[in-house]
Amino acid sequence: MSTSFDPTTARANVAFRQVGKPLARTDAPGKAIGRTPYAGDYVMPGMLHAKVLRSPLPSARLVKLDVRKARALPGVVAVLTARELPDRLAPTDIPGQTGQARLKTDQQILVRERVRYHGEPLALIAAESPDIAEHAMKLIEYKLEPLPAVFDPEEALRPGAPIVQGTDNVVARHAINKGDVAAGFAAADVVVERTYRTQFIEHAFLEPEVGLAWIDENDVVNIRVSTQVIEHFRFIADAIGVPHNKVRIMGALVGGGFGGKEDITVEVYLALLAKFTHRPVRLEFTREDSFMGHGKRHPFILRYKTGVKRDGKITALEVRLISDAGAYVFLSPYVLLYGTIAAPGPYLIENLKVDAVSVATNNMYTSAFRGFGSAQACVAYEQQMDEIAKTLGIDRLELRRRNYLKTGEPTATGFPPPSAIWTERCADLAWQALGEKTKAKGAVRIGRGLAAYQQSYGRLTFLHDTSEGWVGVEVDGTVVVRSGVTDIGAGQVSALAQIAVEILGVTLDNVVVYNSDSAVTPLAGTTTATRALYMTGNAVRVAAEAVRNRLAARAAKAFGVAAEDVVLADNKVTAASRSDKSMGFAELVRLCASEGIQRSELAIFRAPFTDRLDPVTGQGQAYPDFTYGAHAIEVAVDTETGEVSVLKSVACHDVGQCINPAAVEGQIEGGAAQGQGYALSEEMIYRDGRLMTPSFSEYLIPTAMDVPVVKSIILESRSGLGPFGAKGIGEPALTPVAPAIANAVADAIGQRIFDLPITPEKIVRALNGI
């Protein structure tokens, strides 16, 4: 692991004292010694334990559900079915919505008549112990009558296919029509057509879904839960039929989310059972429950047709995307939109046509996953670039250089990103950092691959995203930050602390951050879409700057200098032009307090507000900005067994400005490992809609023995829209990894495996022409 920084290309910047330093994160000590409580660690006297009964069939009619024996079991306090929830639905459209109308895609909380996927909940049980709840679940008698089903999204589009959603199974369509595609193909010397496929995969976070709910003295339903979105309190209130101010969500540090805790998971079940029993209720998913309890990454079919001149310049691109939404809509329309916009990658393509459709099937429902459609698109467009280079006989990196989008040029939707585009620099540095090529030996062949990317940070701008943050100083000079942001393990809270102390001129040990409580912390929005640093960081920055300005004005008066001359740093206040003028930070705060000067601020930060994209042309602004970078890989492939070993893994990203380089490295290394699993081994296998890989015994994630040392090259253009010029790195760290590995394997064996994961069996079959 190493880092480098190219100082010759960065703009001059202020001398940071806290930001940009690899300081120990504020959450690190508690995690290191096991003191940090996660949602599953919370218990209450007299609490009940909950279980969820699920359907063993993927498509069926519920003709009988008899819970009398379960209810009669001693120790069982409640068994809920759809009969107890006659008018209730669970919202599934965009979480944390702040004012835009939601799509009408609410789903049943428990099965009323029809089962649409394997694992759909039939009943909820609350009992005095987990064992009693488990026993009660086995006493529930039900009868399911199988119904016709469809599991292939292309089959689901055909006339006569079983209908899962709507009238034709189409969940969403998106399109981009730019330039003259027909003329572009007519001008091409070569046309390359390929089809790529990606698979269902699981988030595989260490901490399964878990929560504890209780009703307090004000009849408020309180839920302590592992979540990425405390704003779900509104959805939960709607689902159980109470006012929004009667539900309170308290988060905890999250043991991994990756989008899997963006939708509601256990919250509605907990709220319903607490409301019915008037006792605290705890629900913890087993790993098998978790595999059925949240949406998966969408499988995509990606058909690419590229027209190109012999010198490598792309003249036209036509793309057809089909995603499998599974049984319910959830975030499929938005994931598809991200995939549509990302389809051409970080390349300037004047003539572009993208047609995309998301289709309902009787598979497990799909929703948010790190990369959110852009990752699937990258799998295709970066393999397509290597296929074009191979067809033309052009060096792979040189082909990319001739087509990269440059700073100031428009993306596929006609929107020029406001920040720097350093794709070429990132790709070249990552490739060079691979160093000398490993020598092949015997049946083992060596291959190298690279993938570049363009990934948005911040939510879709037509959602009109906002974030609030509060900063205050106490009379002893310590700082308090309040933000509703949830910390999903990436250091979101610690970053807010580092931003606040940088502006206020105190050290990191003098700040405390309160976060993730929908009733008492300012609502900051979701920890999704690589938005947390951009949105909540800017909200805290604005609040801290307001406090600083008032303090500096009072110090200037005391020193007899201009406010701009006042320096706040290292817990001291000085005048830049007067070495004889200084005081402690705490002394200044006490002075302000004695004079009634406001020492706190609640601020709101607004992302750009736009209309939706043109529905025909797909033109307009979709996101605030983009991050750019690349990943380079070297692999060894045993041509006798098909086994792939990743030997070298190098990432280079322009993150705008590091708030904490150690945290950025952590994101990059985690993304590299997760992307490696996406490329080589991870797959949720369904047979006729039934999950065949229900645990980590069958679902193969990379271990520490499989992942090489990841080299991180971090560039700082200081051009992003986040605090101090930062961009987002959460999702971008993963996006280019899988296609880089796919390109490396193809380079090693001379053949391409067009569908992920690239397993040893597929490689052996390809090498043997099977």
Side-chain angles (χ1 to χ4, degrees), residues 5 10 15 83 167 245 260 377 428 437 441 480 487 584 602 650 698 732:
F5 169 60
R83 293 191 199 105
T167 58
N245 64 358
D428 288 350
K437 191 172 184 178
K441 186 177 181 181
V480 175
D487 192 320
L602 173 63
V650 182
E698 304 87 10

Side-chain angles (χ1 to χ4, degrees), residues 82-129:
R83 293 191 199 105
E84 285 73 45
L85 320 170
D87 58 348
R88 303 264 61 98
L89 293 171
T92 65
D93 192 44
I94 198 81
Q97 181 58 266
T98 52
Q100 300 295 296
R102 292 192 296 107
L103 297 176
K104 299 184 185 303
T105 57
D106 296 358
Q107 72 167 78
Q108 58 186 356
I109 298 171
L110 298 170
V111 172
R112 292 178 181 169
E113 296 180 358
R114 182 181 172 189
V115 172
R116 288 181 171 83
Y117 69 92
H118 177 208
E120 187 157 11
L122 300 174
L124 305 174
I125 303 104
E128 300 288 352
S129 75

